[in-house]
Amino acid sequence: MSELPLTIDQQALVDAEESLFAVACPGAGKTRAMVARFLKRTAEEDRRGIALLSFTNAAVEEVRQRCGQRTQALEAPHFVGTFDAFIHRFIVTPLYAKAFGKRPNYVQRWRDIPSASFRLSQIGRAKNLHLDWFDFDPDGRAHLIESRIPRDFGSPMVRAELLARKHAAEAHASHIFGRLVNAGTVSCVAARCLAEYWLQEADKQQILAPLLRSRFAEVIVDEAQDCGREELRILAFLRQQGIRIVMVGDTDQSIYEFRSATPEGVRAFADSLPGDPIQLRDNWRSTPAICAFNTSLRSGQRTELARGENSWNPTPVHLVEYKAHGEIVPTALSIAERNKLTADDLILLSHAETHGMKAAGVPGIDNNTPNRVARIAAAGQILRSRTTDPRTRRKAIDQVQRTVLDALTADQGTKTGREGFDAQCELAGVEPRWLEAFAVRMALRLDAADTTRNTFATDVRTYLRDADWGDTRPPNTSELGGLFRAPNDATWTSIASTGAEPLMRFSTVHGVKGRQYPGVVLVVPERLRTDTATERNVVDDWEGDYNTEARRVLYVAGSRAQQLLICAIHKRHIGRIEAVLDKNGVPYARP
């Protein structure tokens, strides 16, 4: 079956002849329109290329698939890839090679580089600091971001000591940054810094300008709301070279400010483009009630109009009041059944990972739980589940690895987590990859289901005592009883009472951006994050019509739903959210 013809607004995006910004609501068919434009423009250009950039590999792969048999559009001089790949290939690599006489070695994240962590002397018992905790100026100067310091870094006194020595930490991070870059190791963060720094220098501009002018006629930017300072600086430079810039996005979906996305900067840049803005307001995904919910969370006067196959669906948004997380799934499944949906059609979404996990009945990895046996039990359930996401599984494995290191280093007067992971492995005489495999085997072998806390604790100690340690010095068995005590009844009940397989998928809102589901269950918890600058939470922002990232997170969550949106709201907030929906004319029902 052939696709429906493009709408008037979609066709306007395809045919635009000037640089412009196209605002596309969720479900507006922006990817379809962008690919149509990309294929049209690649066919029109004889010598220069068209670039189509996005921010995730998944989005790039979707574009590639939609190009179908037009493989020539994916070949040089054209380019389809992430913004990071564009920066690496066309900006940093040529300038780095000229400056250092060699090509850089790119890595995705600082955490992939062992030497990107460090300790501050005389700071007490604390984990290593990581470059991930810092922002960097274009010249490589580091700025410690307090919100990125993990909660388990150390005691409140240790955290206070770190903040008191902030300048020393920043100087050390700046030194490591410079050392890594000079050695040829460049992360995505470092590449952006280098690009921004070099684009401020006239001689570097003179090198890049003819290269880019001769290569590209146009750059199309997908998810343009996620652009940060560096991307906008690059786009401005491209425009100066006469390269057309077509941006497609929705600033109401800007939820990556922690990655330096700047929606205000994007709006300012969009206003500077000569072409008239295009509005793609037809939502081909959701029901009228869901579109009304989305509109209540959008900034300004923008609205969404239901146009697709769900536009005739009269289902209202459902508000579910809850006291405990365990009440959410049974009620949601009952509502879904009445709307001819199953558990497989639904997904639980929450801002913080822990709320979705609790609602789905999956024990979380709680850094504040000191009991090692409880951590192993929870990790095993997470790894056995088919619905947990890779990030959660990674955290579970890390926790088990550290409990094993506790056993291996117990008689050496150290505590796992007080030093860097690599340093702990070296101290224990264990190879990190072997330890990871050991941790996975252990967590999967020991099943907390249908057993008592004391029996499971005994099983943990027995496993560690009898395990094949190979070339690694085994743990001191006399220490195991003290290290691996049974958890208390309350902790064990919260773990053992949950099934290994949750009844519903779950994810953070950030983890599903760009996706859609027949039904969404949005969890609004009792304790809402309060912005330290404004002293407001997300309900305050919604009531007062403040355009904040917390409010945009709710917008992204609700707009993933196609047929059914269930808002599971803690009883503390249900009345206020009802009033907001009434005020905005959103059709809703209370079961």
Side-chain angles (χ1 to χ4, degrees):
M1 180 182 296
S2 60
E3 287 191 332
L4 293 172
L6 295 173
T7 67
I8 294 175
D9 292 336
Q10 290 170 343
Q11 192 65 51
L13 172 59
V14 173
D15 296 334
E17 297 182 355
E18 291 187 293
S19 295
L20 57 80
F21 187 96
V23 179
C25 75
K30 70 176 178 61
T31 303
R32 183 178 173 223
M34 279 191 311
V35 171
R37 178 178 181 85
F38 176 72
L39 294 175
K40 176 177 182 287
R41 294 290 292 118
T42 55
E44 292 173 346
E45 290 292 335
D46 294 331
R47 303 183 64 179
R48 293 194 296 167
I50 307 300
L52 198 161
L53 312 181
S54 194
F55 286 84
T56 66
N57 288 319
V60 169
E61 184 57 31
E62 181 181 358
V63 168
R64 290 180 176 275
Q65 291 178 357
R66 287 183 180 238
C67 286
Q69 302 300 315
R70 297 279 296 278
T71 56
Q72 70 277 11
L74 303 175
E75 300 170 355
H78 312 301
F79 178 81
V80 175
T82 64
F83 221 121
D84 281 323
F86 183 87
I87 292 171
H88 295 170
R89 182 170 174 180
F90 299 109
I91 296 178
V92 173
T93 294
L95 295 180
Y96 188 98
K98 188 170 184 64
F100 293 91
K102 57 184 177 183
R103 292 175 64 87
N105 174 40
Y106 291 110
V107 295
Q108 185 70 23
R109 301 161 297 187
W110 289 123
R111 72 186 72 147
D112 297 330
I113 310 170
S115 56
S117 65
F118 62 94
R119 287 186 60 78
L120 283 182
S121 60
Q122 301 176 341
I123 200 174
R125 293 180 176 272
K127 288 186 174 183
N128 279 13
L129 282 70
H130 290 263
L131 294 193
D132 285 326
W133 305 356
F134 298 83
D135 275 344
F136 292 88
D137 288 339
D139 59 2
R141 284 182 295 178
H143 301 276
L144 178 64
I145 308 301
E146 186 176 352
S147 61
R148 296 183 192 170
I149 305 171
R151 278 188 256 175
D152 61 345
F153 169 68
S155 66
M157 185 177 298
V158 168
R159 292 177 68 92
E161 177 65 17
L162 170 59
L163 295 177
R165 299 184 60 193
K166 180 178 179 180
H167 293 305
E170 291 172 341
H172 203 142
S174 299
H175 173 73
I176 293 177
F177 178 97
R179 188 182 68 202
L180 288 170
V181 169
N182 285 327
T185 300
V186 178
S187 71
C188 289
V189 170
R192 289 161 183 265
C193 291
L194 288 171
E196 187 176 16
Y197 179 74
W198 280 332
L199 286 177
Q200 295 173 354
E201 299 188 339
D203 60 330
K204 302 299 191 298
Q205 291 182 14
Q206 291 174 0
I207 295 171
L208 279 180
L211 295 176
L212 293 170
R213 274 199 308 268
S214 62
R215 177 64 188 263
F216 294 109
E218 177 175 312
V219 172
I220 304 169
V221 183
D222 182 25
E223 301 290 358
Q225 73 276 355
D226 293 334
C227 286
R229 184 188 67 224
E230 299 95 338
E231 289 92 353
L232 294 176
R233 178 68 185 86
I234 291 166
L235 293 176
F237 180 72
L238 294 173
R239 273 202 68 208
Q240 292 170 7
Q241 311 318 311
I243 298 171
R244 183 184 297 162
I245 305 297
V246 175
M247 303 173 74
V248 185
D250 181 2
T251 53
D252 284 313
Q253 294 188 66
S254 180
I255 59 173
Y256 290 109
E257 289 184 8
F258 64 92
R259 293 183 190 169
S260 302
T262 55
E264 295 81 7
V266 171
R267 282 190 285 268
F269 186 86
D271 290 341
S272 73
L273 299 178
D276 293 332
I278 294 174
Q279 297 265 355
L280 278 67
R281 290 177 292 189
D282 291 343
N283 185 322
W284 298 87
R285 172 187 300 167
S286 304
T287 67
I290 295 171
C291 287
F293 179 88
N294 297 345
T295 297
S296 76
L297 287 161
R298 291 184 71 94
S299 61
Q301 301 300 312
R302 294 172 181 165
T303 60
E304 292 182 17
L305 302 175
R307 296 295 193 194
E309 61 182 3
N310 290 315
S311 62
W312 301 103
N313 187 333
T315 304
V317 173
H318 284 73
L319 300 191
V320 172
E321 179 181 347
Y322 75 93
K323 298 178 183 177
H325 285 95
E327 301 168 2
I328 295 174
V329 167
T331 305
L333 289 176
S334 176
I335 295 171
E337 185 178 4
R338 294 198 300 269
N339 287 275
K340 296 181 171 48
L341 297 178
T342 69
D344 291 339
D345 296 316
L346 305 183
I347 188 167
L348 278 160
L349 297 182
S350 57
H351 193 168
E353 181 180 57
T354 181
H355 301 303
M357 293 180 71
K358 287 179 179 178
V362 176
I365 295 296
D366 187 354
N367 291 326
N368 297 317
T369 299
N371 188 274
R372 298 177 179 87
V373 170
R375 291 186 176 194
I376 293 171
Q381 293 206 26
I382 288 170
L383 294 180
R384 276 185 289 274
S385 171
R386 292 173 297 175
T387 59
T388 48
D389 58 81
R391 180 171 174 266
T392 302
R393 297 170 72 85
R394 178 71 262 170
K395 287 172 65 176
I397 295 170
D398 288 345
Q399 290 286 29
V400 180
Q401 288 183 105
R402 292 189 180 279
T403 63
V404 175
L405 283 176
D406 282 342
L408 294 175
T409 59
D411 58 355
Q412 300 183 42
T414 62
K415 296 288 186 181
T416 303
R418 305 303 188 186
E419 298 181 11
F421 178 75
D422 291 337
Q424 285 288 319
C425 288
E426 183 177 352
L427 182 66
V430 63
E431 204 275 326
R433 289 188 178 181
W434 181 92
L435 177 62
E436 179 178 2
F438 183 95
V440 172
R441 289 196 302 271
M442 178 180 178
L444 291 175
R445 177 71 178 273
L446 300 173
D447 193 346
D450 301 322
T451 189
T452 67
R453 60 189 180 89
N454 290 313
T455 299
F456 189 81
T458 300
D459 291 344
V460 169
R461 295 192 293 267
T462 300
Y463 188 95
L464 292 170
R465 184 193 66 208
D466 298 340
D468 180 6
W469 293 96
D471 296 331
T472 301
R473 183 175 62 84
N476 186 340
T477 56
S478 65
E479 301 281 354
L480 295 180
L483 286 171
F484 297 93
R485 296 188 178 95
N488 60 40
D489 286 328
T491 300
W492 187 249
T493 299
S494 69
I495 293 172
S497 63
T498 57
E501 195 63 36
L503 294 174
M504 193 179 297
R505 293 173 293 175
F506 64 92
S507 174
T508 63
V509 178
H510 290 83
V512 297
K513 191 148 181 292
R515 301 179 184 178
Q516 59 186 23
Y517 304 89
V520 165
V521 183
L522 171 58
V523 180
V524 179
E526 176 182 12
R527 299 183 62 183
L528 301 173
R529 297 179 182 180
T530 299
D531 185 271
T532 54
T534 65
E535 298 185 346
R536 297 192 309 264
N537 61 44
V538 66
V539 179
D540 299 326
D541 294 335
W542 201 357
E543 287 177 329
D545 197 25
Y546 296 104
N547 183 11
T548 63
E549 182 170 85
R551 183 178 169 188
R552 294 194 294 270
V553 167
L554 289 187
Y555 171 71
V556 170
S559 62
R560 301 308 94 197
Q562 297 170 288
Q563 303 172 42
L564 177 65
L565 174 60
I566 301 171
C567 294
I569 304 167
H570 190 272
K571 65 175 186 176
R572 182 176 179 181
H573 310 296
I574 188 76
R576 296 175 64 191
I577 291 179
E578 269 193 299
V580 171
L581 297 184
D582 283 331
K583 177 183 176 182
N584 288 278
V586 178
Y588 69 90
R590 291 281 301 272

